[in-house]
Amino acid sequence: GDQLVFYSRAHVDDGTFSAKDGNDRMQVRANYSSTSSNVGDNWTTVGGFTTLLLDINPTLALYGYPEVWTKYTITVAGVTRTVNGRFAFRYYVPEGEPDGNNASMIGVDEVSFTSK
């Protein structure tokens, strides 16, 4: 019943999107099994953050990431004992380099965790 709550939105320069601006994606992942700082060896790996909690715009659809601040509430489930868990926000966009076909930037704000 614990909850991770945050707001997120895509960056909009001039109020309009182009193909390069709109293909954003973010995952929220958890590590419930170790206190390791392993976040992965490269952009395709996740290290100890093996539990996917949320995937915003997983298909990289144009306009698939919200342009306005949007509230996300993740209810943590399946954890049956006390753990030293950690969460990761993963901006995960293949071909997202400066000259790539995807990615612009996103914002994350007002992150909170509530233990129920």
Side-chain angles (χ1 to χ4, degrees):
D2 296 346
Q3 292 186 328
L4 177 67
V5 179
F6 66 95
Y7 290 81
S8 186
R9 67 166 279 184
H11 169 53
V12 180
D13 256 343
D14 58 2
T16 62
F17 264 61
S18 71
K20 284 192 173 267
D21 289 338
N23 301 76
D24 292 304
R25 175 185 189 184
M26 184 179 69
Q27 295 179 335
V28 180
R29 294 185 156 273
N31 178 343
Y32 301 131
S33 61
S34 75
T35 58
S36 165
S37 61
N38 181 5
V39 295
D41 296 329
N42 58 52
W43 69 275
T44 63
T45 61
V46 296
F49 292 86
T50 55
T51 303
L52 179 64
L53 301 174
L54 177 68
D55 200 347
I56 303 170
N57 197 22
T59 63
L60 292 173
L62 185 61
Y63 310 110
Y65 208 97
E67 297 177 42
V68 297
W69 287 108
T70 302
K71 184 178 182 178
Y72 293 92
T73 301
I74 300 169
T75 300
V76 177
V79 180
T80 58
R81 59 185 171 72
T82 301
V83 298
N84 288 324
R86 295 175 295 139
F87 300 105
F89 293 92
R90 182 183 188 212
Y91 186 69
Y92 182 52
V93 184
E95 295 183 40
E97 68 275 359
D99 294 325
N101 294 322
N102 298 314
S104 176
M105 96 176 81
I106 60 166
V108 175
D109 199 8
E110 295 189 33
V111 178
S112 66
F113 179 78
T114 305
S115 181
K116 300 275 178 170

